[in-house]
């Protein structure tokens, strides 16, 4: 192997390592209940991005409130994983 190849390989490994070390997910998962069944259907059909937009129809100030110290909330599903 050439030296350059080895460097490339090390670079790739480093990136993988960082992804691997991402903080363990402790955030509440999307409940698998009747209320969220539509979300699971949409998730399977249309994917994460499209589904994430639907959450706010119920999760908003007037509906299901967020905890007061909730982090900035765009793309719910990045943090709240579906239970597969
Ligand atoms: C049809 C209305 C509705 C939609 C759409 C909806 N939710 Fe909910 N969600 C609720 C209600 C009501 C609760 C509280 C009662 C419960 O757990 O079902 C809740 C609770 C939650 C909880 C807290 C569970 C817990 O254990 O405390 C999370 C997390 C959550 N929803 C995430 C999501 C995400 C992410 C989406 C979008 C993919 C979403 N919800 C879409 C109505 C909805
Ligand atoms: C940056 C990460 C992040 C994003 C994005 C995010 N949340 Fe959260 N959410 C959290 C954290 C952290 C908590 C604190 C409690 C926990 O560990 O689940 C929380 C709590 C909640 C709770 C209360 C759950 C409980 O156990 O009491 C609900 C409901 C919720 N989020 C819904 C949503 C919805 C709906 C969206 C999208 C509009 C969203 N979140 C986006 C990180 C996030």
């Amino acid at each position: 192997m050439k030296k350059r190849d080895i460097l490339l390989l090390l670079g790739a490994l480093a990136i993988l390592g960082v992804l691997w070390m991402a903080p363990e997910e402790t955030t509440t998962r999307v409940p698998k209940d009747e209320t969220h069944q539509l979300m699971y259907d949409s998730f399977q059909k249309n994917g994460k991005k499209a589904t994430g937009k639907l959450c706010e129809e119920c999760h908003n100030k007037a509906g299901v409130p967020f905890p007061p110290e909730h982090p900035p909330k765009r793309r719910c599903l990045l943090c709240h994983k579906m239970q597969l």
Side-chain angles (χ1 to χ4, degrees):
M1 240 196 274
K2 289 208 198 91
K3 194 165 166 203
R4 202 194 54 171
D5 293 337
I6 294 175
L7 284 179
L8 273 178
L9 194 70
L10 285 180
L13 281 178
I15 291 169
L16 274 180
V18 168
L19 289 176
W20 208 248
M21 306 279 289
E24 206 188 321
E25 289 154 15
T26 53
T27 311
T28 329
R29 294 185 169 242
V30 182
K32 196 151 194 185
D33 55 14
E34 247 171 70
T35 317
H36 295 87
Q37 187 55 49
L38 266 179
M39 298 299 108
Y40 281 88
D41 293 345
S42 159
F43 184 68
Q44 252 148 35
K45 257 193 259 139
N46 309 320
K48 194 193 227 173
K49 220 168 162 188
T51 306
K53 291 189 189 131
L54 306 174
C55 314
E56 277 169 272
E57 283 181 24
C58 301
H59 292 275
N60 54 47
K61 273 205 215 104
V64 187
F66 295 97
E69 69 287 5
H70 195 281
K73 35 188 182 293
R74 301 181 53 224
R75 316 276 309 268
C76 320
L77 294 176
L78 278 185
C79 301
H80 299 281
K81 300 284 196 253
M82 305 296 259
Q83 310 173 27
L84 295 172

PDB file of all heavy atoms in Angstrom, residues 26-28 55-56 59 64-67 70-76 78-80, ligand 2:
ATOM      1  N   THR A  26     -30.438   8.722  24.695  1.00  0.00           N
ATOM      2  CA  THR A  26     -31.270   8.481  25.863  1.00  0.00           C
ATOM      3  C   THR A  26     -32.588   9.226  25.713  1.00  0.00           C
ATOM      4  O   THR A  26     -33.444   9.139  26.564  1.00  0.00           O
ATOM      5  CB  THR A  26     -30.571   8.978  27.126  1.00  0.00           C
ATOM      6  OG1 THR A  26     -30.198  10.331  26.908  1.00  0.00           O
ATOM      7  CG2 THR A  26     -29.335   8.170  27.442  1.00  0.00           C
ATOM      8  N   THR A  27     -32.703   9.965  24.633  1.00  0.00           N
ATOM      9  CA  THR A  27     -33.906  10.753  24.428  1.00  0.00           C
ATOM     10  C   THR A  27     -35.118   9.836  24.257  1.00  0.00           C
ATOM     11  O   THR A  27     -35.014   8.797  23.624  1.00  0.00           O
ATOM     12  CB  THR A  27     -33.749  11.636  23.190  1.00  0.00           C
ATOM     13  OG1 THR A  27     -32.502  12.312  23.284  1.00  0.00           O
ATOM     14  CG2 THR A  27     -34.855  12.648  23.097  1.00  0.00           C
ATOM     15  N   THR A  28     -36.213  10.250  24.832  1.00  0.00           N
ATOM     16  CA  THR A  28     -37.442   9.464  24.737  1.00  0.00           C
ATOM     17  C   THR A  28     -37.747   9.089  23.298  1.00  0.00           C
ATOM     18  O   THR A  28     -37.669   9.927  22.415  1.00  0.00           O
ATOM     19  CB  THR A  28     -38.644  10.288  25.237  1.00  0.00           C
ATOM     20  OG1 THR A  28     -38.209  11.170  26.235  1.00  0.00           O
ATOM     21  CG2 THR A  28     -39.740   9.393  25.755  1.00  0.00           C
ATOM     22  N   CYS A  55     -45.086  16.049  13.156  1.00  0.00           N
ATOM     23  CA  CYS A  55     -45.182  16.037  14.615  1.00  0.00           C
ATOM     24  C   CYS A  55     -45.838  17.298  15.146  1.00  0.00           C
ATOM     25  O   CYS A  55     -46.608  17.256  16.098  1.00  0.00           O
ATOM     26  CB  CYS A  55     -43.798  15.924  15.245  1.00  0.00           C
ATOM     27  SG  CYS A  55     -42.763  14.675  14.474  1.00  0.00           S
ATOM     28  N   GLU A  56     -45.499  18.409  14.520  1.00  0.00           N
ATOM     29  CA  GLU A  56     -45.929  19.673  15.095  1.00  0.00           C
ATOM     30  C   GLU A  56     -47.428  19.923  14.972  1.00  0.00           C
ATOM     31  O   GLU A  56     -47.942  20.868  15.554  1.00  0.00           O
ATOM     32  CB  GLU A  56     -45.121  20.818  14.489  1.00  0.00           C
ATOM     33  CG  GLU A  56     -43.798  20.942  15.211  1.00  0.00           C
ATOM     34  CD  GLU A  56     -42.833  21.871  14.486  1.00  0.00           C
ATOM     35  OE1 GLU A  56     -42.094  21.400  13.612  1.00  0.00           O
ATOM     36  OE2 GLU A  56     -42.847  23.067  14.812  1.00  0.00           O
ATOM     37  N   HIS A  59     -47.828  18.440  18.474  1.00  0.00           N
ATOM     38  CA  HIS A  59     -46.857  18.936  19.448  1.00  0.00           C
ATOM     39  C   HIS A  59     -46.604  20.408  19.191  1.00  0.00           C
ATOM     40  O   HIS A  59     -45.737  20.772  18.409  1.00  0.00           O
ATOM     41  CB  HIS A  59     -45.550  18.141  19.361  1.00  0.00           C
ATOM     42  CG  HIS A  59     -45.706  16.725  19.827  1.00  0.00           C
ATOM     43  ND1 HIS A  59     -45.610  16.357  21.151  1.00  0.00           N
ATOM     44  CD2 HIS A  59     -45.990  15.590  19.157  1.00  0.00           C
ATOM     45  CE1 HIS A  59     -45.803  15.051  21.270  1.00  0.00           C
ATOM     46  NE2 HIS A  59     -46.042  14.558  20.073  1.00  0.00           N
ATOM     47  N   VAL A  64     -50.010  19.254  22.535  1.00  0.00           N
ATOM     48  CA  VAL A  64     -49.182  18.566  23.515  1.00  0.00           C
ATOM     49  C   VAL A  64     -47.976  19.449  23.781  1.00  0.00           C
ATOM     50  O   VAL A  64     -47.181  19.693  22.878  1.00  0.00           O
ATOM     51  CB  VAL A  64     -48.703  17.211  22.963  1.00  0.00           C
ATOM     52  CG1 VAL A  64     -47.992  16.420  24.042  1.00  0.00           C
ATOM     53  CG2 VAL A  64     -49.884  16.421  22.402  1.00  0.00           C
ATOM     54  N   PRO A  65     -47.839  19.979  24.984  1.00  0.00           N
ATOM     55  CA  PRO A  65     -46.748  20.919  25.235  1.00  0.00           C
ATOM     56  C   PRO A  65     -45.399  20.220  25.344  1.00  0.00           C
ATOM     57  O   PRO A  65     -45.327  19.022  25.616  1.00  0.00           O
ATOM     58  CB  PRO A  65     -47.135  21.560  26.566  1.00  0.00           C
ATOM     59  CG  PRO A  65     -48.000  20.552  27.246  1.00  0.00           C
ATOM     60  CD  PRO A  65     -48.637  19.702  26.175  1.00  0.00           C
ATOM     61  N   PHE A  66     -44.354  20.963  25.101  1.00  0.00           N
ATOM     62  CA  PHE A  66     -42.987  20.464  25.277  1.00  0.00           C
ATOM     63  C   PHE A  66     -42.557  20.756  26.702  1.00  0.00           C
ATOM     64  O   PHE A  66     -43.058  21.686  27.317  1.00  0.00           O
ATOM     65  CB  PHE A  66     -42.042  21.195  24.325  1.00  0.00           C
ATOM     66  CG  PHE A  66     -42.329  20.925  22.888  1.00  0.00           C
ATOM     67  CD1 PHE A  66     -43.091  21.796  22.141  1.00  0.00           C
ATOM     68  CD2 PHE A  66     -41.833  19.782  22.286  1.00  0.00           C
ATOM     69  CE1 PHE A  66     -43.357  21.545  20.806  1.00  0.00           C
ATOM     70  CE2 PHE A  66     -42.089  19.529  20.955  1.00  0.00           C
ATOM     71  CZ  PHE A  66     -42.852  20.404  20.211  1.00  0.00           C
ATOM     72  N   PRO A  67     -41.622  19.981  27.210  1.00  0.00           N
ATOM     73  CA  PRO A  67     -41.066  20.344  28.519  1.00  0.00           C
ATOM     74  C   PRO A  67     -40.397  21.709  28.382  1.00  0.00           C
ATOM     75  O   PRO A  67     -39.892  22.027  27.307  1.00  0.00           O
ATOM     76  CB  PRO A  67     -40.018  19.257  28.789  1.00  0.00           C
ATOM     77  CG  PRO A  67     -40.151  18.245  27.704  1.00  0.00           C
ATOM     78  CD  PRO A  67     -40.999  18.802  26.622  1.00  0.00           C
ATOM     79  N   HIS A  70     -36.952  22.198  26.765  1.00  0.00           N
ATOM     80  CA  HIS A  70     -36.747  21.434  25.535  1.00  0.00           C
ATOM     81  C   HIS A  70     -35.742  22.125  24.610  1.00  0.00           C
ATOM     82  O   HIS A  70     -35.831  23.313  24.399  1.00  0.00           O
ATOM     83  CB  HIS A  70     -38.082  21.253  24.812  1.00  0.00           C
ATOM     84  CG  HIS A  70     -38.020  20.197  23.765  1.00  0.00           C
ATOM     85  ND1 HIS A  70     -37.468  20.414  22.532  1.00  0.00           N
ATOM     86  CD2 HIS A  70     -38.386  18.894  23.786  1.00  0.00           C
ATOM     87  CE1 HIS A  70     -37.526  19.286  21.835  1.00  0.00           C
ATOM     88  NE2 HIS A  70     -38.072  18.350  22.569  1.00  0.00           N
ATOM     89  N   PRO A  71     -34.800  21.358  24.056  1.00  0.00           N
ATOM     90  CA  PRO A  71     -33.829  21.943  23.115  1.00  0.00           C
ATOM     91  C   PRO A  71     -34.532  22.410  21.844  1.00  0.00           C
ATOM     92  O   PRO A  71     -35.675  22.042  21.593  1.00  0.00           O
ATOM     93  CB  PRO A  71     -32.873  20.789  22.829  1.00  0.00           C
ATOM     94  CG  PRO A  71     -33.570  19.550  23.229  1.00  0.00           C
ATOM     95  CD  PRO A  71     -34.564  19.927  24.274  1.00  0.00           C
ATOM     96  N   PRO A  72     -33.846  23.220  21.028  1.00  0.00           N
ATOM     97  CA  PRO A  72     -34.430  23.708  19.786  1.00  0.00           C
ATOM     98  C   PRO A  72     -35.008  22.556  18.997  1.00  0.00           C
ATOM     99  O   PRO A  72     -34.355  21.523  18.857  1.00  0.00           O
ATOM    100  CB  PRO A  72     -33.246  24.314  19.036  1.00  0.00           C
ATOM    101  CG  PRO A  72     -32.215  24.562  20.069  1.00  0.00           C
ATOM    102  CD  PRO A  72     -32.452  23.595  21.200  1.00  0.00           C
ATOM    103  N   LYS A  73     -36.213  22.718  18.519  1.00  0.00           N
ATOM    104  CA  LYS A  73     -36.858  21.539  17.979  1.00  0.00           C
ATOM    105  C   LYS A  73     -37.215  21.671  16.513  1.00  0.00           C
ATOM    106  O   LYS A  73     -38.301  22.034  16.139  1.00  0.00           O
ATOM    107  CB  LYS A  73     -38.109  21.220  18.777  1.00  0.00           C
ATOM    108  CG  LYS A  73     -38.819  22.466  19.271  1.00  0.00           C
ATOM    109  CD  LYS A  73     -39.938  22.101  20.212  1.00  0.00           C
ATOM    110  CE  LYS A  73     -40.670  23.316  20.670  1.00  0.00           C
ATOM    111  NZ  LYS A  73     -39.821  24.151  21.523  1.00  0.00           N
ATOM    112  N   ARG A  74     -36.270  21.313  15.708  1.00  0.00           N
ATOM    113  CA  ARG A  74     -36.560  21.106  14.310  1.00  0.00           C
ATOM    114  C   ARG A  74     -36.128  19.685  14.062  1.00  0.00           C
ATOM    115  O   ARG A  74     -35.228  19.197  14.705  1.00  0.00           O
ATOM    116  CB  ARG A  74     -35.749  22.090  13.484  1.00  0.00           C
ATOM    117  CG  ARG A  74     -36.107  23.519  13.889  1.00  0.00           C
ATOM    118  CD  ARG A  74     -35.356  24.556  13.107  1.00  0.00           C
ATOM    119  NE  ARG A  74     -35.487  24.361  11.684  1.00  0.00           N
ATOM    120  CZ  ARG A  74     -34.465  24.461  10.848  1.00  0.00           C
ATOM    121  NH1 ARG A  74     -33.276  24.740  11.293  1.00  0.00           N
ATOM    122  NH2 ARG A  74     -34.650  24.259   9.570  1.00  0.00           N
ATOM    123  N   ARG A  75     -36.772  19.024  13.174  1.00  0.00           N
ATOM    124  CA  ARG A  75     -36.387  17.653  12.886  1.00  0.00           C
ATOM    125  C   ARG A  75     -36.463  16.780  14.128  1.00  0.00           C
ATOM    126  O   ARG A  75     -35.453  16.249  14.591  1.00  0.00           O
ATOM    127  CB  ARG A  75     -34.954  17.613  12.346  1.00  0.00           C
ATOM    128  CG  ARG A  75     -34.632  18.664  11.324  1.00  0.00           C
ATOM    129  CD  ARG A  75     -35.056  18.254   9.946  1.00  0.00           C
ATOM    130  NE  ARG A  75     -34.599  16.946   9.565  1.00  0.00           N
ATOM    131  CZ  ARG A  75     -33.483  16.699   8.927  1.00  0.00           C
ATOM    132  NH1 ARG A  75     -32.702  17.693   8.591  1.00  0.00           N
ATOM    133  NH2 ARG A  75     -33.157  15.490   8.586  1.00  0.00           N
ATOM    134  N   CYS A  76     -37.630  16.643  14.660  1.00  0.00           N
ATOM    135  CA  CYS A  76     -37.867  15.867  15.879  1.00  0.00           C
ATOM    136  C   CYS A  76     -37.168  14.517  15.849  1.00  0.00           C
ATOM    137  O   CYS A  76     -36.629  14.057  16.851  1.00  0.00           O
ATOM    138  CB  CYS A  76     -39.340  15.574  16.061  1.00  0.00           C
ATOM    139  SG  CYS A  76     -40.443  16.919  15.648  1.00  0.00           S
ATOM    140  N   LEU A  78     -34.550  13.413  14.598  1.00  0.00           N
ATOM    141  CA  LEU A  78     -33.111  13.295  14.796  1.00  0.00           C
ATOM    142  C   LEU A  78     -32.836  12.874  16.223  1.00  0.00           C
ATOM    143  O   LEU A  78     -31.877  12.152  16.494  1.00  0.00           O
ATOM    144  CB  LEU A  78     -32.419  14.630  14.533  1.00  0.00           C
ATOM    145  CG  LEU A  78     -32.115  14.968  13.087  1.00  0.00           C
ATOM    146  CD1 LEU A  78     -31.326  16.263  13.026  1.00  0.00           C
ATOM    147  CD2 LEU A  78     -31.343  13.848  12.419  1.00  0.00           C
ATOM    148  N   CYS A  79     -33.628  13.366  17.136  1.00  0.00           N
ATOM    149  CA  CYS A  79     -33.385  13.066  18.546  1.00  0.00           C
ATOM    150  C   CYS A  79     -34.343  11.989  19.060  1.00  0.00           C
ATOM    151  O   CYS A  79     -33.937  11.094  19.770  1.00  0.00           O
ATOM    152  CB  CYS A  79     -33.549  14.317  19.380  1.00  0.00           C
ATOM    153  SG  CYS A  79     -32.433  15.646  18.897  1.00  0.00           S
ATOM    154  N   HIS A  80     -35.597  12.128  18.712  1.00  0.00           N
ATOM    155  CA  HIS A  80     -36.574  11.141  19.175  1.00  0.00           C
ATOM    156  C   HIS A  80     -36.694  10.045  18.128  1.00  0.00           C
ATOM    157  O   HIS A  80     -37.309  10.252  17.088  1.00  0.00           O
ATOM    158  CB  HIS A  80     -37.935  11.799  19.401  1.00  0.00           C
ATOM    159  CG  HIS A  80     -37.897  12.872  20.448  1.00  0.00           C
ATOM    160  ND1 HIS A  80     -37.903  12.596  21.795  1.00  0.00           N
ATOM    161  CD2 HIS A  80     -37.808  14.215  20.344  1.00  0.00           C
ATOM    162  CE1 HIS A  80     -37.852  13.727  22.473  1.00  0.00           C
ATOM    163  NE2 HIS A  80     -37.787  14.728  21.623  1.00  0.00           N
TER     164      HIS A  80
HETATM  165  C1  LIG B   2     -31.983  18.407  19.660  1.00  0.00           C
HETATM  166  C2  LIG B   2     -32.682  17.203  20.043  1.00  0.00           C
HETATM  167  C3  LIG B   2     -34.213  17.244  20.067  1.00  0.00           C
HETATM  168  C4  LIG B   2     -35.062  17.611  19.054  1.00  0.00           C
HETATM  169  C5  LIG B   2     -34.701  18.080  17.644  1.00  0.00           C
HETATM  170  C6  LIG B   2     -36.394  17.435  19.555  1.00  0.00           C
HETATM  171  N1  LIG B   2     -36.338  16.986  20.847  1.00  0.00           N
HETATM  172 FE1  LIG B   2     -37.946  16.558  22.059  1.00  0.00          FE
HETATM  173  N2  LIG B   2     -36.699  16.240  23.643  1.00  0.00           N
HETATM  174  C7  LIG B   2     -35.322  16.251  23.577  1.00  0.00           C
HETATM  175  C8  LIG B   2     -34.778  16.051  24.905  1.00  0.00           C
HETATM  176  C9  LIG B   2     -33.308  15.988  25.268  1.00  0.00           C
HETATM  177  C10 LIG B   2     -35.900  15.940  25.783  1.00  0.00           C
HETATM  178  C11 LIG B   2     -35.838  15.770  27.291  1.00  0.00           C
HETATM  179  C12 LIG B   2     -36.407  14.507  27.810  1.00  0.00           C
HETATM  180  C13 LIG B   2     -35.867  13.269  27.144  1.00  0.00           C
HETATM  181  O1  LIG B   2     -34.755  12.826  27.464  1.00  0.00           O
HETATM  182  O2  LIG B   2     -36.602  12.750  26.292  1.00  0.00           O
HETATM  183  C14 LIG B   2     -37.083  16.038  24.945  1.00  0.00           C
HETATM  184  C15 LIG B   2     -38.403  15.903  25.399  1.00  0.00           C
HETATM  185  C16 LIG B   2     -39.520  15.865  24.582  1.00  0.00           C
HETATM  186  C17 LIG B   2     -40.860  15.529  24.999  1.00  0.00           C
HETATM  187  C18 LIG B   2     -41.283  15.141  26.398  1.00  0.00           C
HETATM  188  C19 LIG B   2     -40.919  13.698  26.577  1.00  0.00           C
HETATM  189  C20 LIG B   2     -40.893  13.286  27.985  1.00  0.00           C
HETATM  190  O3  LIG B   2     -40.339  12.181  28.217  1.00  0.00           O
HETATM  191  O4  LIG B   2     -41.364  14.014  28.859  1.00  0.00           O
HETATM  192  C21 LIG B   2     -41.672  15.593  23.906  1.00  0.00           C
HETATM  193  C22 LIG B   2     -43.175  15.315  23.831  1.00  0.00           C
HETATM  194  C23 LIG B   2     -40.831  15.968  22.791  1.00  0.00           C
HETATM  195  N3  LIG B   2     -39.538  16.121  23.240  1.00  0.00           N
HETATM  196  C24 LIG B   2     -41.288  16.132  21.508  1.00  0.00           C
HETATM  197  C25 LIG B   2     -40.521  16.607  20.446  1.00  0.00           C
HETATM  198  C26 LIG B   2     -41.068  16.969  19.153  1.00  0.00           C
HETATM  199  C27 LIG B   2     -42.517  16.796  18.729  1.00  0.00           C
HETATM  200  C28 LIG B   2     -40.023  17.458  18.418  1.00  0.00           C
HETATM  201  C29 LIG B   2     -40.078  18.066  16.996  1.00  0.00           C
HETATM  202  C30 LIG B   2     -41.005  19.225  16.869  1.00  0.00           C
HETATM  203  C31 LIG B   2     -38.830  17.369  19.233  1.00  0.00           C
HETATM  204  N4  LIG B   2     -39.183  16.864  20.467  1.00  0.00           N
HETATM  205  C32 LIG B   2     -37.552  17.697  18.820  1.00  0.00           C
HETATM  206  C33 LIG B   2     -34.551  16.441  22.441  1.00  0.00           C
HETATM  207  C34 LIG B   2     -35.027  16.865  21.200  1.00  0.00           C
END
